[in-house]
Amino acid sequence: MSKLVIYNHGKDSIPWGEKPLALAEVAKGQGFTFISPDYQASNDPDWRVQQLLALDVSGYETIVLVGSSMGAYVSTVAAEIIKPKGLFLIAPAFYLPGYARTEFKTSTANIEVFHGWQDDVVPPENAWRFCREHHARLHILDADHRLLSILPIMATAFERFLGDCTA
């Protein structure tokens, strides 16, 4: 069974920073192919959605979308078409000015969200609102927007999450 994780980085981030490197290790350990497209050419979230939708994912039976900040928005909007087995969202940039979508039609019940209490980019209330609307699993921990201080906790949860997506 071919399995794919697509990691979508944040607005001012890079495709292969600390988070995607740590999560890629977990995914590869479970037999997933892990890709992290480079969206640095544009900070327009809807342009990034189109770039993600342009990827050929036809050869994969199991697809999991992961996104950090703007990348979480990109993952969630694209999920309506890609229909992944799971959405793993890190400090999702939901309900912010400049983002076209405020309503999301998720195609999976397997959604997990990590957010930081100290996030000064996206208020934790935004993650709570999304999770309440979509019955998603929510972890709010003592961390800032980047969530690097809780990366080991997140990686452990991601390992369990991928297991749930392939069960």
Side-chain angles (χ1 to χ4, degrees), residues 3-166:
K3 306 181 290 187
L4 175 67
V5 170
I6 305 172
Y7 179 90
N8 299 286
H9 68 81
K11 179 179 170 184
D12 296 320
S13 193
I14 58 173
W16 291 102
E18 289 178 69
K19 284 185 292 248
L21 286 171
L23 298 178
E25 194 173 315
V26 170
K28 288 174 182 170
Q30 292 204 21
F32 280 81
T33 299
F34 189 99
I35 63 172
S36 184
D38 187 345
Y39 298 114
Q40 295 175 94
S42 175
N43 280 338
D44 176 349
D46 297 299
W47 177 87
R48 290 180 179 203
V49 169
Q50 292 310 312
Q51 297 305 302
L52 174 54
L53 292 175
L55 295 176
D56 179 12
V57 296
S58 58
Y60 295 95
E61 288 179 52
T62 302
I63 299 170
V64 174
L65 295 178
V66 180
S68 180
S69 194
M70 182 185 281
Y73 170 93
V74 169
S75 297
T76 305
V77 173
E80 294 175 16
I81 293 167
I82 294 175
K83 306 210 180 315
K85 294 282 191 214
L87 274 174
F88 193 86
L89 309 174
I90 304 161
F94 293 145
Y95 318 116
L96 296 177
Y99 289 74
R101 300 285 296 278
T102 57
E103 306 263 325
F104 303 97
K105 295 180 218 71
T106 56
S107 59
T108 178
N110 198 7
I111 305 171
E112 192 148 350
V113 177
F114 274 83
H115 212 94
W117 283 118
Q118 313 305 322
D119 192 328
D120 59 359
V121 177
V122 181
E125 296 80 20
N126 295 19
W128 183 83
R129 173 181 164 190
F130 173 85
C131 290
R132 185 188 66 209
E133 289 174 11
H134 297 280
H135 309 283
R137 185 182 291 134
L138 175 62
H139 310 267
I140 302 186
L141 301 165
D142 190 20
D144 64 12
H145 184 67
R146 296 184 66 213
L147 292 156
L148 294 177
S149 63
I150 57 122
L151 192 50
I153 295 166
M154 207 164 26
T156 299
F158 187 56
E159 187 169 17
R160 180 199 35 77
F161 181 81
L162 290 178
D164 292 349
C165 290
T166 53

